[in-house]
Each structure stands twice: as structure tokens, then as C-alpha cells.
Amino acid sequence: MSLAEGNKSKQYMELNESRIHFPNEIQLSDLLKKDLILSDEDFILADTNTSRLCFPILKILVPELNEERLIILDAGEYGKNISTLNHIWSFLQHAGADKNSRLVNLGGGVITDIGGFAASTFKRGIRFVHIPTSLMGMADASIGGKTAINLGKVKNQVGLFSLPEQVIIYHGFLKTLAWEEFLSGYAELIKIGLAFDRSLWELLSEVDFQETNREYICSQLEDSLLPMAIESKIMVTTRDLTDRGERQCLNFGHSIAHAIEALFLSEGNEIKHGFAVAAGIICEAWISNRVIGLSALDMGKIQSYILEYFPCIPFQEDDIDDILQLLRHDKKNYDGDILMSLLTAPGKCIREVKCSENIIRESLLHYQQLS
Ligand SMILES: NC(=O)c1ccc[n+]([C@@H]2O[C@H](COP(=O)([O-])OP(=O)(O)OC[C@H]3O[C@@H](n4cnc5c(N)ncnc54)[C@H](O)[C@@H]3O)[C@@H](O)[C@H]2O)c1
């Protein structure tokens, strides 16, 4: 990674050939017009919310952007599937997209995940840019080159690693984000701190994450929290882009989160990814305490901070067998064992820890008793 530390005015970080920018309002305009040169030749992928709330911001800065090249998906996780992918490919084909075309993904993690996948596979790969508009997208989903769609009930089963040519993190988009989406994205920042950067976790654990405090939180995100989280993620993904080694630690909290999310999705009740991650962090911190010695003090601090701000996920005892069944599909599993990334301490994560179904069941029962 080369951090543009010595050149603060540029405000970008790099991950291989992919450049991650942090423009303020004025720099955004310059970036889109001079460096990135968005044009009427670009295709833009957005959802029903970001086309309405974020596209107009780009259009003011780059009036030549062409609405006819705007592909709009229904907002939400349900759309992250093969039929939507087919819709994007077909749109590009009918509009005459070729190897020189570029797809600009303007939205949250659903749009950057599916848009990255669509662009990387259309005509064996066209260029793409991420402009994340949710906190989840900025902190995590747009960084590191993972693209995917869900397959049936199971999250992110089909995808590939593919880096965007540019990522533009513009905090102004957060102004219209619903509070629950804000909170959802915050769970991924907590995860990054816990998995890789104790000092980030310590800063986060001091933040009073109430809606009434939104303005202050935004300034903290912009000044330090987001750059710290992104820098950690870049360092890890630079060393292990394809998730064979230490990158798996970014899955801390996610084995259980994905299973809970898939359970609710299959019942037609979508829950926020970050809320599932918050539940997963509590369960996996509990397992970390039992299996690899995370201190009771640290476990308690993680648990109480998350419980203070995140809603409890209301699954029933009867659902636990289904959650375990879904966990068996987790991509990290090997040779029939359920493997998790767990913490020995905040900022210190160990991957591929074998976990028995019994201990996972106990952690889910523990979580249930907290609500
Ligand atoms: N690729 C990765 O490394 C990675 C990492 C984390 C999460 N993800 C994926 O990201 C997805 C979750 O991301 P998400 O929470 O951003 O979901 P999302 O894309 O569904 O966005 C959440 C909601 O916020 C709306 N929204 C987005 N930006 C807005 C804005 N500026 N103003 C108003 N509304 C806005 C969207 O329309 C949507 O309704 C999941 O599918 C998850 O698997 C991927």
C-alpha cells in the first residue's frame, strides 16, 4: 500500500492499482471533472434511493451525465441475485456497452457488490468505479475488491475478487442516510477495530452513538474513524487480497451474522446486515472468551457497548438449528469443521479456529438471554 501521507493535499490511499480518494465538496467536483473524468459515456448503477438522493449531487457537478445510462435497481438486499445481475448485463448489452465502457457504482454495499461483479464479468471485464453512499459502503464494502451476489438463501456465494479503478469516499452523501443504515454501517467499523486495530476500537468505544449526536459523529468519522478503518482494511487486503490468510480475520462476527441474516431473508424478513454483524460480534466474542481466552473484561466491554446502541435480533430457540444448518455453508469451513475468526484481545484476531456446534449453540442461547 502506498498512503498519500507525504502528500496530504491529494488525500488518497492506494490498494494495488486501485485508488481511494477522500474529497471534500470542492475536491469532489475537481476529481469528477479533471482526474476521474466522469462523462456521458459512463454507465451509472444506482438503486431507487441513491438515484433519487445521490445521483442529483453528481449531476450538478457533472451536468453531462446521461440519465439514459442510469441503471436503477430496487433498493435492498433482495435484489442482490442472479436475476438482477442478468438485468444489468442486458441493459449494458442493449445500450451498446463495449470493452471501453465503465460502470460507476453509486450506492451502498448491495450496489458496489453486484455492480463490481456485473462489470468484472461483462465481456470478461469492463472498468468500474465505486462511489459508496452508505457508511457500510464507505467503511467496508467498497474497499478490498470483494464482489458477490447471494445464491438462494445463502449470502455472497457467487462472486470474484476484482478491484475498482477508483473509489470515491465523499462524506456528504451520509447526510440523507437513514439512522438505522448509519448504525448498520457502524457495526463494520467496530468489527475492523476489534479484528485489527485496538486503538480504533478504543476510540469507537468512547463514541456516544446516538442520533442526536449525528453531527459530531460525522465529524469524527470524517476526521479519523473512517480513514483509520479504511487504512487497516487496505493494509490487510494488500497483503492478502484473495482471502487465503489474514484477511479472513475481517470475518470476525460474520459467520454467525451471515447465518442469522440468511435465516431472516429466507422467511421474507430482511434485517440490516450491520445489525446481524452486531449480534454476530456478541456471539463470537463470547465464543472467543470460551475457546481462545479473550478476557471476560474485554468481552463484557464489547457486549455492553453493542447492546447500548444496536437492537437485539429476535430469533427463537427453535431457529437455532436452522442457524447452525446455515453456518455449515460458510465459505471459511473446511473438511466438515465450522471455522471462525476469533479474538484473543481487541485488535488481535486468529483465523480458522475450530468451533463445535455445541459452543455455537451456547453462544446463541447466551445472546437470546441478553434481549
Ligand atoms: N464486499 C465487501 O467487502 C462487503 C463488506 C461489507 C458488506 N458488504 C455487503 O454490503 C451490503 C450491505 O451494505 P449497505 O448496508 O450499504 O446496504 P444497501 O446497499 O442495501 O444500502 C442500505 C440502504 O441505504 C440506502 N442508501 C444508501 N446510500 C444512501 C444515501 N446516501 N442516502 C439515503 N439512502 C441511502 C440504500 O438505498 C438502501 O436502502 C450487504 O449485501 C453486504 O453483504 C460487502
Side-chain angles (χ1 to χ4, degrees), residues 47 49-50 53-54 75-77 80 107-111 113 133-134 136-137 140-141 143 146-147 155-156 173-174 176-178 181 184 188 233 247 258 273:
D47 69 23
N49 295 322
T50 60
L53 298 164
C54 307
E77 187 72 30
K80 201 172 139 182
V110 167
I111 290 295
D113 270 15
T133 58
S134 67
M136 174 83 63
D140 203 4
I143 310 291
K146 276 192 182 177
T147 72
K155 291 257 312 170
N156 300 332
F173 289 127
L174 293 178
T176 53
L177 194 66
E181 301 297 349
S184 176
E188 295 288 14
K233 184 152 182 193
R247 183 174 182 165
H258 280 153
H273 177 65

Side-chain angles (χ1 to χ4, degrees), residues 104-309:
V104 178
N105 300 309
L106 178 70
V110 167
I111 290 295
T112 52
D113 270 15
I114 197 168
F117 189 44
S120 308
T121 44
F122 183 75
K123 295 196 191 265
R124 299 204 184 90
I126 59 172
R127 297 169 304 139
F128 64 102
V129 171
H130 286 332
I131 308 188
T133 58
S134 67
L135 184 55
M136 174 83 63
M138 293 180 193
D140 203 4
S142 67
I143 310 291
K146 276 192 182 177
T147 72
I149 56 166
N150 303 331
L151 184 64
K153 290 184 198 172
V154 192
K155 291 257 312 170
N156 300 332
Q157 283 293 287
V158 185
L160 40 81
F161 293 96
S162 182
L163 287 166
E165 57 177 24
Q166 317 262 357
V167 182
I168 299 172
I169 313 273
Y170 171 58
H171 303 89
F173 289 127
L174 293 178
K175 283 184 193 144
T176 53
L177 194 66
W179 179 250
E180 60 170 11
E181 301 297 349
F182 214 86
L183 190 55
S184 176
Y186 191 59
E188 295 288 14
L189 278 157
I190 295 176
K191 171 207 73 180
I192 294 171
L194 287 172
F196 291 112
D197 183 350
R198 186 178 190 121
S199 59
L200 173 60
W201 158 242
E202 280 168 359
L203 284 176
L204 294 169
S205 67
E206 296 296 316
V207 175
D208 182 16
F209 210 84
Q210 313 273 4
E211 191 168 3
T212 46
N213 219 2
R214 185 170 174 143
E215 212 168 301
Y216 173 74
I217 295 167
C218 280
S219 69
Q220 294 299 296
L221 284 168
E222 185 170 354
D223 291 349
S224 55
L225 303 175
L226 262 175
M228 280 173 86
I230 292 170
E231 189 178 346
S232 279
K233 184 152 182 193
I234 289 176
M235 279 203 282
V236 174
T237 47
T238 301
R239 291 193 293 255
D240 176 25
L241 183 69
T242 54
D243 216 2
R244 311 257 168 218
E246 64 179 303
R247 183 174 182 165
Q248 290 171 13
C249 290
L250 282 165
N251 280 313
F252 170 65
H254 280 63
S255 303
I256 289 181
H258 280 153
I260 293 176
E261 224 181 333
L263 174 79
F264 278 75
L265 203 60
S266 72
E267 292 170 347
N269 300 316
E270 191 178 331
I271 51 169
K272 299 273 153 248
H273 177 65
F275 295 179
V277 170
I281 290 176
I282 291 183
C283 294
E284 294 182 25
W286 188 90
I287 299 173
S288 300
N289 169 259
R290 295 297 185 280
V291 178
I292 57 166
L294 174 70
S295 76
L297 191 69
D298 282 324
M299 181 194 75
K301 191 172 166 191
I302 294 166
Q303 187 172 287
S304 54
Y305 186 71
I306 287 179
L307 287 176
E308 194 170 344
Y309 301 110

